[in-house]
Structures are given as C-alpha cells and as structure tokens.
Amino acid sequence: MTISRDAVLDWLEAFAAAINENAAYLTQLDSDIGDGDHGANMNRGMQAVLTILPGVADKDIGSIFKTVGMKLVSTVGGASGPLYGTFFMQMGNATADKMELTLDDWIAAMQAGYDGVVMRGKAQIGDKTMVDALSPALTALKTQRDAGAFISDALRAAADATKQGMEATIPLIARKGRASYLGERSVGHQDPGATSSWYLMRTAAETWGKAR
Ligand code: ADP
Ligand code: MG
C-alpha cells in the first residue's frame, strides 16, 4: 500500500486536531523558555489550514503541501511560522504532481522539509529546537526502509524516534531562538517546537497506520 492523497488530507486534519488539543500545553512549554505563544501560533496556523484544505483537496499532494506551507507562513508568525511553512513548502516541491506516496517518496519529502528547516533556521542537532525531533525521525525512516519495513512500521519507528528526540531536548542548553536568551536557565525544559514536531510524526503514524 501507499499513502493516498486522501490519507495526506486526513493526516493534516489529525495534526490540526492534535495541535488544537495540546495548544495550552505547547504554550505552557513556551512560557517556560520562550514567550508563551507556540500553542496559539500553531493553532492559529493549523485552523487556517483547515479552512483552505477543501479548496485544494482535488489537487496533487505537492500542491496541497505547498498551499499548507504558504498558509502557515502567512498565519503563524514567530520563528515557527517560517520554519513549519518552509517544511511544508519543501515537502511540496519534493512531491510535485504525486497523487500517492511510497515510503521512498515520504522519505524524500521529509528530507526536503528537514533540509529547508535547517537552511532557514541554521540550527544544528543539539541546539534544543524542532531539528532535534525531526532529525531522528528521518534517520529512523531510512533505517526502516533499508531493512525493508512496511510503511506503517517505518512511521511508527519514526514517531518513537521523534518522541525520544523531543525528550532529549530537556537537558539541553538552547542555542537558537528565544530560548537561547536564557542560556543555562533553559536546561530542564522540553522544547515546544520539538513537541509540536512530535505531534506531526505521531499523527502521521496513527493516520497512516494501515499503509503497507
Ligand atoms: P517564537 O520563538 O518566535 O515565539 P514559537 O514560540 O512559535 O516562535 O516557536 C518556538 C520554537 O521554534 C522553538 O521551540 C524551536 O523548536 C523553534 N525554533 C526557534 N528558532 C529555531 C531555529 N533557528 N531553528 C529551528 N527551530 C527553531
Ligand atoms: Mg514563542
């Protein structure tokens, strides 16, 4: 099985729902080491995405991702708006004209999205950002692919790796974004952007759990 366009739309809806449910928690995390707006920022963006999805539901997956990315850039603001926006726009470039995704297609999309985030934000692994959650996801996907895993199992492994990457941000000193202003006082807190990235990968695994 592959990931159909409808499944992609389902995932975007599931991600929006997870952000909505956890907006207060994300904001709490961002209050600890930032300015307390990550949950509100992401929720505003994903609710705006929900309003435009019906208009692009008959397009190819690349067009859908690009539209989502542009909407996030224009509605989220802060650091995470351009970063998540770039992530989706680059995923859209990598999936242009596709009506379904194989595991290889998904890995190519994730790689393009991840590279875009790194190019834009200049964060390295260990800087206590969303990069620390997305990087292990990509590594896990490639390991699973090389082992010949089903998409569903690869996605589950990627979600688990993302969760570990998210939790591993707790002892780190923030070196990018607002949290970096706190220096050592950022230690002991989980990064909000890494946490929203975990919802992204977790909802992919949940939504596409039957894809083989
Ligand atoms: P802001 O920091 O402008 O208030 P948000 O609160 O919405 O924006 O997002 C903060 C999150 O953005 C952080 O938790 C971190 O994961 C992510 N982030 C910030 N700067 C960078 C960067 N340069 N590279 C990657 N991620 C970053
Ligand atoms: Mg913030």
Side-chain angles (χ1 to χ4, degrees), residues 14 42 45 70 93 100 113 115 128 130 137 140 143 151-152 156 159 174 178 199:
M42 292 300 294
M70 287 187 289
N93 283 335
E100 59 178 8
D115 289 347
K128 198 180 181 99
M130 57 192 286
T143 303
I151 298 183
S152 53
R156 174 47 58 198
R178 285 178 196 278
Y199 300 144

Side-chain angles (χ1 to χ4, degrees), residues 30 35 37-38 41 78-80 83 117 121 123 129-131 176-178 191-194:
D30 195 37
D35 56 353
D37 62 356
H38 188 59
N41 285 347
S80 55
L83 291 167
V117 168
T129 70
M130 57 192 286
V131 167
K176 280 282 181 288
R178 285 178 196 278
D191 180 61

Side-chain angles (χ1 to χ4, degrees), residues 28 64 112 120 128 147 198 205:
Q28 178 58 50
I64 293 170
R120 179 132 209 154
K128 198 180 181 99
W198 176 53

Side-chain angles (χ1 to χ4, degrees), residues 130-192:
M130 57 192 286
V131 167
D132 292 323
L134 293 174
S135 171
L138 204 44
T139 305
L141 285 172
K142 290 175 187 168
T143 303
Q144 294 287 315
R145 188 246 332 258
D146 294 348
F150 289 130
I151 298 183
S152 53
D153 294 334
L155 292 167
R156 174 47 58 198
D160 290 347
T162 311
K163 184 164 188 269
Q164 283 171 22
M166 167 189 85
E167 288 167 350
T169 64
I170 296 173
L172 296 175
I173 297 177
R175 303 207 183 277
K176 280 282 181 288
R178 285 178 196 278
S180 66
Y181 307 156
L182 291 181
E184 302 218 337
R185 281 182 292 137
S186 63
V187 169
H189 301 281
Q190 184 169 299
D191 180 61

Side-chain angles (χ1 to χ4, degrees), residues 53-74:
L53 282 186
V56 291
D58 62 344
K59 299 269 194 322
D60 64 278
I61 292 169
S63 299
I64 293 170
F65 282 156
K66 276 187 223 168
T67 306
V68 168
M70 287 187 289
K71 197 69 183 172
L72 290 176
V73 169
S74 66

